[in-house]
Amino acid sequence: MDNPSKIVEGGVTYSLGRFDGCCVHYDFSKILVYLEAKGKLLFGSHFELFKKDRKILLQLCSYMIRDATTCAKYDIDINKGILLSGPVGCGKTSLMKLLRHLDPQRRFYEMIPCRNVSFGFNHIGYKTIEDYGNSGYYCFDDLGVELPGRFYGKDCNVMGEVLLSRYERHNLSKGTFKTHATTNLNAEELESRYGIRVRSRMKEMFNLIAFQKHTGDKRK
């Protein structure tokens, strides 16, 4: 029987905790060792996890492994998606790309830049909203900085419409249809960009996990 507490990367076996034959008892310190190694494979040898981000990492990892006790401590609902916010360059996109590898037995969410969704609308119209709004397991990257959509002379707040469609599916699915996103915007800026109705739905769809606003740009 496969041991789900172990992951092999580059010929090296990493332990994430202890498997008792029924479930995995995760060890956060071992998870961090694996994530840093996987990050170097994905993004290059310069990749590192920072001590100042440990609280964010603990929350995200606890959500990904469905650690109900730790999630409850941080008021994280495992039936909602993740909205990861923070300043430009703080590592949001890299973390969401990385964390989907934490449990290879579950289906990966696909990372979709929001600008691509808007560009798609400009080319093929409302089918883009249907495609991204009604199906798929996605993390929408850089929510709020995409350009407005326009198709045959009609303007559309494309991601706002996608989120409304996914909210309806989220409600019908009772938490099995999840959406994740990253954003540089705060709550007020999201409301200004998408309107109060979408902002209200986002509160029901997402757990907000936020970097400190003064977090530095790690790409420098």
Side-chain angles (χ1 to χ4, degrees), residues 55-111:
K55 184 177 178 180
I56 293 274
L57 284 164
L58 176 60
Q59 293 176 67
L60 290 170
C61 290
S62 298
Y63 173 85
M64 294 296 176
I65 64 175
R66 301 177 70 84
D67 178 345
T69 301
T70 306
C71 284
K73 176 181 176 181
Y74 290 104
D75 197 24
I76 295 171
D77 185 341
I78 57 178
N79 292 314
K80 295 181 180 182
I82 293 293
L83 177 62
L84 184 59
S85 74
V88 173
C90 68
K92 303 180 298 295
T93 300
S94 295
L95 284 182
M96 291 306 288
K97 285 181 177 179
L98 176 61
L99 286 161
R100 59 185 176 169
H101 295 275
L102 192 52
D103 188 350
Q105 296 186 322
R106 290 201 177 101
R107 186 164 65 109
F108 280 7
Y109 49 83
E110 187 177 353
M111 297 290 295

Side-chain angles (χ1 to χ4, degrees), residues 135-167:
S135 62
Y137 188 17
Y138 300 125
C139 177
F140 294 107
D141 195 30
D142 273 343
L143 181 67
V145 299
E146 74 281 357
L147 294 173
R150 172 169 282 201
F151 187 69
Y152 281 94
K154 290 188 176 181
D155 292 333
C156 179
N157 191 328
V158 180
M159 283 307 305
E161 293 299 323
V162 168
L163 291 173
L164 287 174
S165 294
R166 293 187 71 85
Y167 168 77

